[in-house]
Amino acid sequence: MWRQVQGSHDWDGLLQPLHPVVRDEVARYGELVVACYKVVDVDPSSARHMCCKHGKERVLEEAGVAGAGYEVTRYIYATPDVAGPPSASWVGYVAVSTDEMTRRLGRRDVVVSLRGTMTQAEWAANLMSALEPMCRDARPDVKVESGFLNLYASSASKSCRSAGGMGSCRDQLLREVSRLIKSFSEDMPGEDMSVTLAGHSMGSALAMLLGYDLAELGLNRDASGRRVPVTIFSFGGPRVGNAAFKDRCDELGVKVLRVANVRDPVTMLPGAFVNEGTRGFLNAVAGGGDRYTHVGVELALDFLSLRDLGSVHDLGTYVSSIKAETCGKVPDAVASRRGGGVVAKAMEFVESQGAAAFAWQEAALGGLVQSLGLI
């Protein structure tokens, strides 16, 4: 049932209750993203600061997922140029399933695994919430957050030895994913393939941009011209673009499963107060203009630790909650307020105060997210 697990029917009937195969597959992809956090060098004094500490041949073993059944083919770097001199940071990897894993899965699986925010420059980019066209010439109506686009499309520097001269995060990803599709479809004609993009927080935003690009540019077609399905598993992901971006992703057949803790404020940003669900006064204030809109199908979680508020966005806790099957059991009162507690009170306040309060409340929620160490 791999096509259904990858969203061929938008996970209809598989989420409530959560199908055990879907549960295991979503958790598996989450663990491949957790691996990104385990191997990045966060020592500021290191010559490889914000690069991966291990070579491609050993990285999954060092991250504790040696039996994942994938071979890493390329490391990916992003270079936001919004805070100081541009500097490349390792954000994840591209991998492909081994022959043994391919037989188990029923198809050759190309995986992109992307981490969330870890540097000040990435933080600065995340908070650039203005919408701008993804492709100014081709589809100016399709708009995405300027900060995420900056991370995705800015050219890499030579601060990481492996990143020098390789172009932007976008260039690296498009080149490697399309290469793998072409290579394996030529070597193994007739073999089914899938492209799975898995990311946490900022990484899920980058995965969304990549999924759109692959489908819009037609790079998800194999050597015979068959379309290779593109699926995104987003963990604690923010909104990325406007309604036109969502609609175009739907038209292109990009499938997105958003795994979201209803108490996680990151999943409410950007566009916390003017979005696809805005009603009443703020709906009139928006004036029918661009609004941030979530893409895909939501798999709702509900977890909170008062001793560690930052855990509402922790990827490890996301994966543990999926394994514990706490999905789809969200109380209506909690789901209706999307966040509960402090976030819910902030939303209630801005709705009561109107337009004058909108801008600074949106910024305040962003500040809350940053102070908790989220994204």
Side-chain angles (χ1 to χ4, degrees):
M1 58 179 293
W2 73 263
R3 292 186 185 277
Q4 294 97 311
V5 173
Q6 294 292 110
S8 62
H9 295 92
D10 295 315
W11 296 278
D12 185 34
L14 297 177
L15 302 183
Q16 292 189 356
L18 184 62
H19 193 287
V21 176
V22 176
R23 176 199 64 210
D24 293 346
E25 287 296 278
V26 173
R28 183 172 69 85
Y29 285 116
E31 289 173 339
L32 289 174
V33 182
V34 170
C36 292
Y37 291 100
K38 293 183 177 180
V39 296
V40 65
D41 190 340
V42 296
D43 180 2
S45 65
S46 171
R48 295 189 59 79
H49 178 53
M50 293 314 300
C51 294
C52 184
K53 294 184 287 187
H54 310 287
K56 294 190 291 290
E57 298 78 12
R58 296 175 45 229
V59 63
L60 295 182
E61 178 181 356
E62 294 291 344
V65 287
Y70 289 85
E71 295 177 350
V72 175
T73 64
R74 181 173 179 80
Y75 285 164
I76 302 300
Y77 301 83
T79 313
D81 60 0
V82 298
S87 178
S89 295
W90 187 86
V91 294
Y93 58 87
V94 181
V96 64
S97 57
T98 62
D99 290 344
E100 180 181 354
M101 187 64 167
T102 296
R103 286 190 292 270
R104 202 194 92 178
L105 293 175
R107 87 280 187 188
R108 184 77 59 178
D109 190 30
V110 176
V111 167
V112 177
S113 179
L114 299 164
R115 64 163 175 82
T117 308
M118 296 184 73
T119 71
Q120 288 298 316
E122 291 165 358
W123 256 116
N126 288 337
L127 297 178
M128 295 168 57
S129 59
L131 283 162
E132 67 175 83
M134 178 77 178
C135 305
R136 294 183 181 276
D137 297 331
R139 298 192 64 92
D141 60 317
V142 174
K143 298 180 181 180
V144 298
E145 197 217 47
S146 59
F148 297 145
L149 186 58
N150 184 285
L151 281 158
Y152 182 61
S154 295
S155 294
S157 72
K158 296 182 179 181
S159 57
C160 284
R161 286 177 290 175
S162 301
M166 294 301 178
S168 66
C169 177
R170 177 183 189 265
D171 294 337
Q172 298 165 54
L173 286 166
L174 292 179
R175 184 163 52 239
E176 182 64 6
V177 173
S178 60
R179 182 189 73 81
L180 290 171
I181 292 174
K182 180 181 179 181
S183 174
F184 279 96
S185 62
E186 288 178 345
D187 293 344
M188 306 290 289
E191 181 181 69
D192 284 331
M193 295 187 71
S194 62
V195 173
T196 308
L197 315 178
H200 173 234
S201 197
M202 177 192 78
S204 72
L206 296 177
M208 287 292 304
L209 298 179
L210 173 61
Y212 168 86
D213 252 354
L214 286 169
E216 186 69 85
L217 298 174
L219 297 177
N220 63 323
R221 293 190 178 275
D222 65 16
S224 66
R226 291 191 306 168
R227 186 179 68 85
V228 176
V230 175
T231 303
I232 299 167
F233 291 105
S234 163
F235 299 89
R239 294 184 181 90
V240 176
N242 63 357
F245 177 75
K246 173 197 177 299
D247 292 342
R248 187 57 179 159
C249 285
D250 292 343
E251 291 171 7
L252 293 168
V254 177
K255 300 300 182 180
V256 182
L257 185 64
R258 291 189 302 104
V259 185
N261 178 10
V262 296
R263 303 177 188 274
D264 182 353
V266 173
T267 64
M268 301 163 58
L269 293 171
F273 305 110
V274 177
N275 53 58
E276 69 278 3
T278 300
R279 298 291 184 272
F281 178 77
L282 289 180
N283 185 53
V285 171
D290 287 322
R291 300 181 195 179
Y292 278 99
T293 302
H294 271 307
V295 180
V297 178
E298 181 180 85
L299 175 59
L301 307 178
D302 183 12
F303 58 87
L304 171 69
S305 170
L306 295 178
R307 295 181 179 180
D308 181 12
L309 293 178
S311 67
V312 296
H313 188 62
D314 177 69
L315 180 56
T317 309
Y318 264 84
V319 173
S320 297
S321 296
I322 294 165
K323 291 180 176 180
E325 298 190 59
T326 59
C327 314
K329 301 177 181 179
V330 181
D332 290 341
V334 174
S336 66
R337 277 318 316 169
R338 288 301 301 170
V342 175
V343 176
K345 293 299 183 183
M347 293 179 72
E348 290 171 358
F349 177 80
V350 74
E351 288 169 357
S352 69
Q353 297 300 307
F358 168 72
W360 69 262
Q361 279 289 338
E362 181 91 359
L365 185 54
L368 170 64
V369 169
Q370 186 173 15
S371 67
L372 291 176
L374 308 180
I375 298 189

